Amino acid sequence: MKDTIVTTKRDNEGSMLMYRRFVKKFRSSGVQTLTKKRRFQARKPSKSIRRKDCIARITKHSIFERAYRLGKISPSGKRGGY
């Protein structure tokens, strides 16, 4: 993928038409999406946050399993994979 986009003004072409051609090239090149991905890239979660999330998942799973076994929720209310 190219990092630069070059658009030159043609003979008898207005600046707005050249700008439109540039924007079209810019959007189709994927430079904008790549730049936004780099700018707003999420940090990897730390070990403590991963551990906390895992414990929360396990706790929620056990609560659902207990409710399912006690008949408080139907099998359709139970998520797939549990």
Side-chain angles (χ1 to χ4, degrees):
M1 191 180 318
K2 296 191 312 186
D3 289 341
T4 58
I5 299 168
V6 179
T7 306
T8 55
K9 192 171 179 181
R10 297 176 182 162
D11 294 337
N12 298 326
E13 180 182 36
S15 57
M16 284 307 293
L17 185 58
M18 186 187 84
Y19 175 72
R20 264 191 241 126
R21 280 193 308 115
F22 169 77
V23 169
K24 189 175 179 182
K25 274 187 183 181
F26 180 73
R27 287 188 181 149
S28 65
S29 69
V31 173
Q32 185 178 21
T33 54
L34 185 66
T35 307
K36 284 188 177 183
K37 280 182 186 178
R38 285 183 193 155
R39 184 176 174 195
F40 299 113
Q41 185 176 16
R43 277 179 28 186
K44 291 182 180 177
S46 66
K47 190 174 181 179
S48 61
I49 290 176
R50 286 193 318 234
R51 185 177 291 135
K52 189 175 91 174
D53 289 346
C54 184
I55 290 169
R57 264 195 318 275
I58 291 169
T59 306
K60 192 173 184 181
H61 175 69
S62 64
I63 290 170
F64 273 104
E65 279 295 316
R66 182 168 168 75
Y68 176 69
R69 277 189 268 120
L70 292 174
K72 292 183 178 180
I73 59 172
S74 65
S76 63
K78 189 177 166 193
R79 289 185 177 181
Y82 281 104

